């Protein structure tokens, strides 16, 4: 019997760089997997020099919609836009004020409602989101964490009856992609063979105060067979991912050999499980799970006026 997994992300491309191989694996095994993207990524910089073209810059919102649709197809997942406006990454000193109407400036009690609605429609058994630092401190990532935690609680209560019948998610995980121990293991693969390592410089730049998030990891999901799908989904976000950039510095076959898992932290659970885990659905009894969820939806455009889009900001 299939179970349901939902990953909540801030921007299109986040789903392909954080836990994508895990999602592709579960989808291939017949489980229902949905990505909920909170913003359209409208303020994201173009990070691939080949895409720095006038027609792309002029229509960046539509380009990113098309990129997200292709990434979802590659991963085999459903997708929903929740309709908020990208806050952008504030840079400079002093840090500039976030733009009016952006996601990170929404009231939490308003921003959580579209997520509660899509949770009650899709009825996931497991939800993936970011930790309290957002994975990295982008304001939209931190806001994603805040409303995901709130939705975990409120979706299961009688709050907001207009958003559907209550649904109790069984487990919530934080996705952890920036694992120092993983980089060290991959670096050692090259050093031990007398080969130049593409990770030497990134490891030198690692901020020692960050420590290693591996200390918080509870769950490592084997998903090496889906690293190619992950990489193809990343490449689908052509405005954000340089195919010659650091994401692809280590070939997938080396990664499969050295570190064949993706890492998660069990943040909340309503079922018993034993740690460490190798399965996000561990402890969930499929016989207790309804066979299908109402309100399935595939990739649509942000702000198309559907109820799940939530409040729009101009």
């Amino acid at each position: 019997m299939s179970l349901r997994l939902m990953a909540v992300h801030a921007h299109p491309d986040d789903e392909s760089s954080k836990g994508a191989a895990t999602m592709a694996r579960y989808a291939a095994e017949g489980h229902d997997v949905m990505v909920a993207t909170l913003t359209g990524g409208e303020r994201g910089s173009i990070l691939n020099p080949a895409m720095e073209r006038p027609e792309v810059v002029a229509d960046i919102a539509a380009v990113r919609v098309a990129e997200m649709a292709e990434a979802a197809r590659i991963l085999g997942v459903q997708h929903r836009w929740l309709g908020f406006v990208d806050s952008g990454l504030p840079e400079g000193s002093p840090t500039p004020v976030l733009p009016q109407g952006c996601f990170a400036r929404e009231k939490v009690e308003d921003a959580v409602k579209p997520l509660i609605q899509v949770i009650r429609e899709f009825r996931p058994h497991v939800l993936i989101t970011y930790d309290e630092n957002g994975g990295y401190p982008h304001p939209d990532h931190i806001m994603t964490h805040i409303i995901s935690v709130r939705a975990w609680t409120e979706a299961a209560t009688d709050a907001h009856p207009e958003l559907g019948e209550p649904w109790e998610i069984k487990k919530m995980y934080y996705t952890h992609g920036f694992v120092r121990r993983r980089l060290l293991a991959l670096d050692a693969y090259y050093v031990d063979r007398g080969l130049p390592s593409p990770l030497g410089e990134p490891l030198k730049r690692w901020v020692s105060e960050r420590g290693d998030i591996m200390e918080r990891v509870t769950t490592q999901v084997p998903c090496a067979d889906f690293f190619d799908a992950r990489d193809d989904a990343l490449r689908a976000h052509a405005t954000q991912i340089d195919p010659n950039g650091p994401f692809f510095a280590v070939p997938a076959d080396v990664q499969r050999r050295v570190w064949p898992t993706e890492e998660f932290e069990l943040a909340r659970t309503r079922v018993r499980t034993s740690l460490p885990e190798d399965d996000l659905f561990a402890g969930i009894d499929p016989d207790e799970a309804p066979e299908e969820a109402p309100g399935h939806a595939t990739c649509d455009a942000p702000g198309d006026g559907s109820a799940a889009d939530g409040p729009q900001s101009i």
Side-chain angles (χ1 to χ4, degrees):
M1 181 181 294
S2 67
L3 295 170
R4 293 183 295 279
L5 169 67
M6 176 183 286
V8 183
H9 286 287
H11 312 104
D13 82 81
D14 287 327
E15 83 297 326
S16 296
S17 61
K18 303 167 185 67
T22 295
M23 291 192 293
R25 173 195 148 176
Y26 283 126
E29 290 176 353
H31 299 291
D32 292 324
V33 181
M34 177 180 283
V35 172
T37 306
L38 285 152
T39 81
E42 306 89 344
R43 290 193 171 98
S45 302
I46 294 178
L47 303 177
N48 178 1
M51 295 297 286
E52 280 277 9
R53 306 196 303 268
E55 68 274 17
V56 173
V57 174
D59 204 17
I60 187 64
V63 170
R64 298 206 69 181
V65 167
E67 291 175 344
M68 182 66 239
E70 177 62 7
R73 184 194 67 77
I74 291 167
L75 296 174
V77 304
Q78 301 174 55
H79 180 251
R80 292 284 289 271
W81 296 101
L82 297 194
F84 294 100
V85 176
D86 187 357
S87 304
L89 181 61
E91 296 178 300
S93 182
T95 303
V97 176
L98 293 175
Q100 190 69 33
C102 70
F103 174 51
R105 293 187 64 173
E106 293 280 352
K107 293 180 179 179
V108 172
E109 57 267 31
D110 294 331
V112 73
K113 290 179 181 179
L115 183 55
I116 290 173
Q117 181 170 345
V118 76
I119 286 170
R120 288 176 175 175
E121 290 175 356
F122 183 64
R123 301 195 296 181
H125 302 96
V126 171
L127 185 139
I128 299 171
T129 189
Y130 312 134
D131 69 9
E132 67 280 2
N133 299 310
Y136 77 104
H138 189 297
D140 287 341
H141 285 235
I142 293 171
M143 185 64 156
T144 297
H145 164 80
I146 291 169
I147 70 165
S148 295
V149 170
R150 184 154 173 171
W152 159 271
T153 299
E154 292 190 8
T157 71
D158 292 330
H160 313 295
E162 74 281 6
L163 302 179
E165 293 294 320
W167 177 255
E168 187 177 83
I169 304 164
K170 300 303 182 185
K171 301 170 82 176
M172 181 167 72
Y173 288 90
Y174 300 151
T175 177
H176 289 310
F178 301 107
V179 177
R180 180 176 172 82
R181 199 175 306 175
R182 173 178 175 271
L183 297 185
L184 288 170
L186 292 167
D187 181 65
Y189 172 88
Y190 288 94
V191 173
D192 292 348
R193 288 161 177 77
L195 300 171
S197 171
L199 297 172
E201 286 304 315
L203 282 167
K204 288 179 184 176
R205 294 194 300 268
W206 190 280
V207 179
S208 59
E209 290 80 6
R210 284 177 61 185
D212 190 352
I213 202 70
M214 193 67 191
E215 296 170 1
R216 293 176 54 169
V217 167
T218 61
T219 310
Q220 292 184 272
V221 178
C223 52
D225 290 345
F226 297 91
F227 284 176
D228 289 338
R230 173 204 63 192
D231 290 352
D232 287 344
L234 271 171
R235 292 186 186 97
H237 292 284
T239 60
Q240 303 302 298
I241 303 296
D242 183 350
N244 300 311
F247 273 109
F248 308 108
V250 178
D253 62 336
V254 173
Q255 295 181 51
R256 278 189 280 268
R257 193 176 311 169
V258 175
W259 198 280
T261 60
E262 289 181 333
E263 282 62 52
F264 301 87
E265 175 186 352
L266 180 60
R268 286 166 174 75
T269 184
R270 293 181 169 114
V271 298
R272 290 185 178 275
T273 187
S274 298
L275 302 180
E277 302 172 313
D278 62 5
D279 180 6
L280 300 184
F281 293 125
I284 298 174
D285 184 352
D287 292 331
E288 296 180 0
E291 291 192 9
E292 60 182 53
H296 280 200
T298 54
C299 193
D300 53 2
D304 69 350
S306 66
D309 282 332
Q312 295 293 304
S313 302
I314 305 300

